[in-house]
Amino acid sequence: MGAAGVRLDRVSFSYRGAPETVHDVSLSVEGGECVVLCGPSGGGKTTVIRLINGLAGGYYEGEARGRVEIGGTRHADLPAWKRAESVGSVFQDPASQFFSSQLAGEIAFSCENLGYDRDTVVSLTDGSIAAFGLDGLRGTPNDRLSSGQKQKVAIASAVAPRPLIVAMDEPSSNLDEEAAMALGRTVAQMKAEGYALVIAEHRIAYLEGVADRFHYVRDGRIERSFTPAQMEALPLEQRRALGLRSTSRAPRPALPRPLAGCGAQKGACALSLRGVSAAFGARRVLQDVSFSVSSGQIVALTGKNGAGKTTLARIVAGLSAPRGGTVEVGGARRTRRALRRLVWFSPNDVRAEFFSPSVQEEVMLLVDPADENRERARRVLEGLGLWDLRERYPSTLSGGQKQRLSIACGLVMRRPVLVLDEPTSGLDALSMEKLSASLRFAAQEGQAILVITHDNEFLGSCCTHCFELGE
């Protein structure tokens, strides 16, 4: 693999029917380099990734200016198959890039689509599965994988054809801490093998010792660039003002485990799980899970990717049926239909969540349009940094903004139980702090909040208890 990588020279881009999103961006990444795009949610990082892999101006219609070069050749002069062979892409939502229902078929697809012969496809597929430790998932349908497992499959698929450049959009967003650090080691190995790596990220601690440069992207521009030493030396207040996460691993805060029953807090007990079990066919996912969440508590649900956290959340929300056990809300056992009325579930994948033509209308969709609810909607949107976007179509928001909008809907509705699946996956540090403050306020109002998270910074900022699921 040569040293040729990717070069953007004064590139601007506007999506069709929208103002310019990226303005006069220039950057260069050679083979064997790792460059990180950081900065606030909605700042333009994803669009820069799309300019590199050719989706901006192709799949996403719009107008581009400036020059993009891949491997020393102008992007526009490369046929589509050559761009696909040269640039491996990992999207913010991994499931959106899946074509196959099975692991091996998904990873093989990128090689087959490039016309490689059978022996090459098998060799590259098996090598990528082994490199990412995915052999144990060969028999599991892709739609049964956890969000973190889907992320690893997407990365394995992107690098299977061994492209010159790998462009990743928040690849660690759904990974547990151990898996994120393993991804950091994988990125280091890819860098050593000569890949040019461009990674848009909020969680940057796993790239410690790997990243060569950090470009701070805000309002569609590269405002500043940092060496790793400069990034690490940033004072805490300046880091917070820029919305940057820590460059070092945050320790897991010592929080009490929630009780198996609310006991003396009778009347305040909002949610109780008693002996909940679940399975996919013959594969056991959950076994005899019992804990409770009282009104005013924010309980973090942690555990490795694939431990069953999202399955448990869907059971609590009435979206999936347990194989055994019961779910109680407000001290009474509830049917799945009743749970869907009492529990708000904000999923990690919010692509199909929104139905209204504006952010403001979306948060008011399921509540009475009384003045008090409109005022509450305004306060919630302001608290989550979405008020200035209230007239925007939800589909035009960034991934982190969509995540906050889904949570805003649950806060405005004031259901007794709020369940959030990886709510910080697309959030910068400032947005995370706003979310934490909003959840603390909701807890003070009496909502019981269950949060699936791998984010130790977020966990320490607002959670009152922590329950860890085992394998």
Side-chain angles (χ1 to χ4, degrees), residues 224 230-242:
R224 301 177 64 179
Q230 290 170 333
M231 180 67 85
E232 189 174 352
L234 276 177
L236 180 60
E237 289 305 313
Q238 188 175 356
R239 185 187 304 281
R240 285 178 173 170
L242 293 171

